[in-house]
Amino acid sequence: MTTRMTGNLIADWWRSVDRWLLAAFVILLVGGVMLSFAASPPVAERIGLDPFHFVKRHALFLIPSAMVMFGASLLTPRGVRRASFIILIVSLVLMVAALFFGAEIKGARRWIDIGPLNIQPSEFMKPCFIVICAWLLAEKVKRADVPGNLYALILLLIVTALLVAQPDLGQTMLVSTSWGGLVFMAGLSWLWIMVLGGVGVVGAAGAYFVFPHVASRINRFWTGQGDTFQTDRAKEAILNGGWFGKGPGEGTVKRLLPDSHTDFAFSVLAEEFGIIACIALAAIFAFIVLRGLSVALKQRDPFVRLAISGLVFIFGLQSIINMSVNLQLMPAKGMTLPFISYGGSSMMAIALSAGFLLALTRKRAENRSYTDQLVQRTMVLHGA
């Protein structure tokens, strides 16, 4: 009986899941492991580890990440909302705990040890924050007396305060911009959008004057003076690869990149597989965003529509930031490339986000148009 129920569950999932999105996520998952063979051995050798240390760990996280993505994709929209609420609360508590008990790495406290695991709670917070804000904004759309916009703003202030306290200005910018895109899609008035945009500009200016490392990165970006070693090597790797790359394992500039397996995996891809491969990868990210927005437009439930839009927005924005840093189009930030960069917390969290997206985009009876439902009823009545 259990086997039959499991079989029916998987069969229903396969019939209803968006296979185009699923295929894109699987390509990124597998592609990230393959690219780790090129990007991570030089880093491991430089710090005295086994050359394939990071490759093995990346591959080790592949299976649980796939399981998380599949498990999350089985949820109903209500299940996605409930799971997001629980994970968001736990993530916020762990972010607070990391400030007091987490190890300080490069001047920031973003990580916390839970048994044998070293977790970055903010990574898991991001997709859940988007889903809960989408729910709050959707409730405001359904019922004008519900202060969903206010609650979403309060939640943003809590999240950004914790991120700034770490400090993690890159994630703060990512979350704030994604929240802004979400409230714009929810139909917030232009007056409030301009006010919030002004607050964002003031906050960015404040970060420049308050945090020396932020000012240093921005100054190095604008003037090209100071320690630009890593970004210069990233650009050199891209130019060295040309259109078709040097070939797998033939990259030389990548050996000089300290973070070639994390923030600058895109540059390694360019050096060994060429600009053509980079364009193909960027096209996959663009496809996920456009596919998600296309499906979101067809949703009748405002929560589902906003949640899908918000999830693909933050996914696409994170991808753009990482690739822009590699191309020296914006100041350096510690932002991973989804599924491609090495990092267990990042990989698992993005798998959770992908699972939520697959769950929300599944075909359901309530999402069909009125005409489609009328046609089906007519066929049933006539015995077709």
Side-chain angles (χ1 to χ4, degrees):
M1 184 63 135
T2 303
T3 304
R4 183 179 301 174
M5 291 176 62
T6 303
N8 290 339
L9 179 65
I10 295 176
D12 290 342
W13 172 84
W14 180 246
R15 283 194 294 267
S16 60
V17 75
D18 190 307
R19 298 178 192 176
W20 288 103
L21 280 176
L22 177 63
F25 286 133
V26 170
I27 290 172
L28 291 178
L29 267 171
V30 176
V33 175
M34 293 178 62
L35 185 60
S36 68
F37 279 94
S40 61
V43 179
E45 291 175 351
R46 193 181 305 121
I47 59 179
L49 298 175
D50 173 66
F52 295 103
H53 171 80
F54 294 113
V55 176
K56 293 173 183 176
R57 289 182 62 85
H58 197 132
L60 183 65
F61 280 106
L62 177 64
I63 295 176
S65 295
M67 293 174 64
V68 166
M69 185 170 71
F70 174 69
S73 71
L74 294 173
L75 297 172
T76 62
R78 179 177 294 180
V80 170
R81 188 170 65 244
R82 289 176 175 176
S84 296
F85 181 78
I86 294 171
I87 297 172
L88 178 62
I89 295 299
V90 173
S91 298
L92 292 177
V93 170
L94 290 178
M95 287 173 69
V96 173
L99 296 176
F100 295 97
F101 308 109
E104 185 173 329
I105 301 174
K106 297 181 179 179
R109 294 182 181 272
R110 305 171 186 171
W111 301 82
I112 188 167
D113 293 328
I114 301 179
L117 300 176
N118 190 236
I119 296 175
Q120 187 176 0
S122 60
E123 291 287 351
F124 295 91
M125 173 274 298
K126 289 186 296 185
C128 301
F129 167 78
I130 289 295
V131 170
I132 296 304
C133 283
W135 172 61
L136 292 171
L137 295 170
E139 289 300 305
K140 176 65 176 179
V141 172
K142 294 177 182 177
R143 295 176 51 190
D145 59 320
V146 175
N149 294 351
L150 176 61
Y151 291 154
L153 178 59
I154 292 172
L155 183 56
L156 172 69
L157 295 176
I158 293 172
V159 167
T160 53
L162 289 173
L163 289 172
V164 171
Q166 290 182 348
D168 192 340
L169 279 302
Q171 297 282 25
T172 303
M173 184 187 74
L174 176 64
V175 168
S176 301
T177 306
S178 300
W179 184 89
L182 197 59
V183 297
F184 176 78
M185 290 182 282
L188 196 67
S189 68
W190 279 105
L191 175 62
W192 277 108
I193 290 173
M194 288 188 290
V195 170
L196 293 172
V199 172
V201 172
V202 172
Y208 178 86
F209 292 105
V210 172
F211 296 99
H213 72 281
V214 173
S216 175
R217 288 182 178 182
I218 294 176
N219 291 338
R220 291 199 304 266
F221 174 74
W222 284 115
T223 65
Q225 299 176 356
D227 183 12
T228 59
F229 176 81
Q230 186 147 243
T231 52
D232 288 344
R233 297 293 78 72
K235 182 179 179 180
E236 183 182 347
I238 294 172
L239 295 174
N240 192 44
W243 285 102
F244 301 103
K246 297 295 183 180
E250 298 300 320
T252 55
V253 181
K254 70 175 184 180
R255 300 183 181 279
L256 305 175
L257 273 169
D259 296 325
S260 62
H261 62 318
T262 53
D263 300 346
F264 293 93
F266 187 76
S267 296
V268 176
L269 176 69
E271 183 177 24
E272 300 208 344
F273 299 96
I275 296 175
I276 296 295
C278 292
I279 294 174
L281 179 62
I284 294 175
F285 287 122
F287 171 79
I288 291 172
V289 174
L290 294 175
R291 179 72 177 179
L293 292 176
S294 175
V295 174
L297 286 173
K298 302 174 184 177
Q299 304 299 314
R300 305 177 70 181
D301 186 339
F303 160 66
V304 176
R305 183 168 61 249
L306 287 173
I308 293 173
S309 301
L311 287 171
V312 296
F313 188 86
I314 197 169
F315 180 88
L317 184 59
Q318 181 169 336
S319 307
I320 290 172
I321 291 174
N322 178 276
M323 290 185 285
S324 297
V325 169
N326 279 256
L327 294 167
Q328 287 192 345
L329 296 177
M330 65 184 303
K333 296 183 180 295
M335 196 78 67
T336 58
L337 190 58
F339 286 134
I340 301 300
S341 298
Y342 169 81
S345 289
S346 175
M347 192 173 181
M348 295 284 286
I350 293 169
L352 178 67
S353 180
F356 284 166
L357 186 57
L358 289 171
L360 294 169
T361 55
R362 285 173 59 187
K363 301 181 183 70
R364 292 183 175 85
E366 61 268 24
N367 289 332
R368 292 178 301 183
S369 67
Y370 176 77
T371 304
D372 291 339
Q373 295 181 37
L374 186 62
V375 169
Q376 184 177 18
R377 289 172 187 163
T378 302
M379 293 175 66
V380 171
L381 288 173
H382 288 81

